[in-house]
Amino acid sequence: SVQQASKPKVAVSPLVLEDVEEPPLNLYKPKGPYTATILSVDRLVGPKAPGETCHIVIDHGGNVPYWEGQSYGVIPPGENPKKPGTPNNVRLYSIASTRYGDFFDGKTASLCVRRAVYYDPETGEEDPSKKGVCSNFLCDSKPGDKIQITGPSGKIMLLPEDDPNATHIMIATGTGVAPFRGYLRRMFMENVPTFKFGGLAWLFLGVANTDSLLYDDEFTKYLQEYPDNFRYDRALSREQKNQSGGKMYVQDKIEEYSDEVFKLLDNGAHIYFCGLKGMMPGIQDTLKRVAEQRGENWEEKLSQLKKNKQWHVEMT
Ligand code: FAD
């Protein structure tokens, strides 16, 4: 007989976070932000990753509740360079934890932040005077530092939970994986009495190379513990080649499994896209080509998916 993998789930609290019908929205606005505290900042990527991405845990003391898939705003310290005398503008970051946070107590939120750096297009040299204000502030912050947050915001990427046996196909590039980390912890790590996931979650993650993978240990563990409920496919653009010998992008992985993906969509699967705006045209082209090869009209299919609320996109 096959041994059932042991899958003890983590207790979460406070369970009142399940009781509200509607997600919390804009509890704190730019004119009256909440002052939270940085708990930890950890580099997520290996030495050979191009660029730096950090996992940042923020203590909000339970005062800025949110749901999986929402974002926080962060107001970096300092003056808005475009409007001297006024504070910096808010930057949005997708929350990478569940509503219970990484400590399962409802008091923290985690962000997955990529440092924005600037390379001079002429010389190819990094120009530190033009580096991103907020992402560098966050990645350079230290435990105990104060941080001004707003939100939570966003309803597009909330996890539909009416059917606990639904299929969720998640397509992420880079830090776009943040909301999906939250979904997957809720599905596979936490013991949430009112949400017992028994469906299929399928994550496609695109990054540059093995060292750039984000939360890979966590995802690999779900694969071992829930082989019937989780699939995980990685596209490493600088390490793998696609079928035509080019770089392996996330859409090439989707194409590899397009038969299954299209069947799942026909059966009502949700599909989510999160990451850089630049990734969307390539993905749409691939989906359109696949649909045409199957003798289907992509525009019609897409409008049907949108109408059925199966199509969820958040690009930055
Ligand atoms: P800014 O200071 O705003 O600069 C923007 C860019 O301009 C940078 O690349 C910078 O290098 C460049 N720049 C600066 N000065 C110059 C100059 N003089 N000339 C030319 N270029 C210049 N990001 C994440 O990392 N993780 C997330 O989970 C995430 N989620 C998001 C969710 C949503 C809904 C949205 C809208 C955005 C999200 N972002 C996320 C992006 C994030 O909001 C910021 O845009 C990003 O961190 C860059 O902000 P910054 O303050 O560091 O850069």
Side-chain angles (χ1 to χ4, degrees), residues 91-94 112-114 116 118 130 132-135 175 316:
R91 270 73 162 180
L92 291 177
Y93 293 91
S94 304
C112 175
V113 179
R114 182 180 170 92
Y118 183 83
K130 296 180 181 171
V133 172
C134 195
S135 57
T175 59
T316 65

Side-chain angles (χ1 to χ4, degrees), residues 53 71-72 76 88-96 111-119 127 129-138 153 175-179 274 276 314-316:
T53 304
S71 303
Y72 268 176
N88 261 314
N89 285 335
V90 171
R91 270 73 162 180
L92 291 177
Y93 293 91
S94 304
I95 299 173
L111 306 180
C112 175
V113 179
R114 182 180 170 92
R115 242 183 228 282
V117 288
Y118 183 83
Y119 292 99
D127 180 348
S129 71
K130 296 180 181 171
K131 66 184 184 185
V133 172
C134 195
S135 57
N136 283 277
F137 158 70
L138 285 168
S153 64
T175 59
V177 78
C274 192
L276 294 174
E314 186 165 88
M315 291 293 154
T316 65

